[in-house]
Amino acid sequence: MYQGLIIFALGGVLLVGAYFVILGRRRQYEETGSPEDVLTDEEFRKIEYGDDL
């Protein structure tokens, strides 16, 4: 009887742990950003105004 409860509790602990790991990585990604997300002035003007410098 107790074996099922222990397995269920361990599964819950693992699920909560995975949630916090994913949440931490997401916050870190949002704070630092990605180098691919940063546009140069030239790229911005090309997208925003259609300029071909």
Side-chain angles (χ1 to χ4, degrees):
M1 177 179 163
Y2 292 114
Q3 185 179 7
L5 290 174
I6 291 172
I7 291 171
F8 185 73
L10 286 176
V13 168
L14 288 174
L15 203 62
V16 169
Y19 173 77
F20 282 116
V21 167
I22 291 171
L23 190 66
R25 288 184 182 176
R26 180 178 170 191
R27 283 187 184 156
Q28 181 184 10
Y29 174 78
E30 287 176 354
E31 288 173 0
T32 59
S34 175
E36 294 89 28
D37 294 339
V38 178
L39 295 175
T40 63
D41 291 336
E42 205 173 291
E43 293 169 332
F44 175 77
R45 288 194 63 83
K46 191 179 287 186
I47 293 169
E48 191 68 23
Y49 304 112
D51 290 350
D52 290 328
L53 297 176

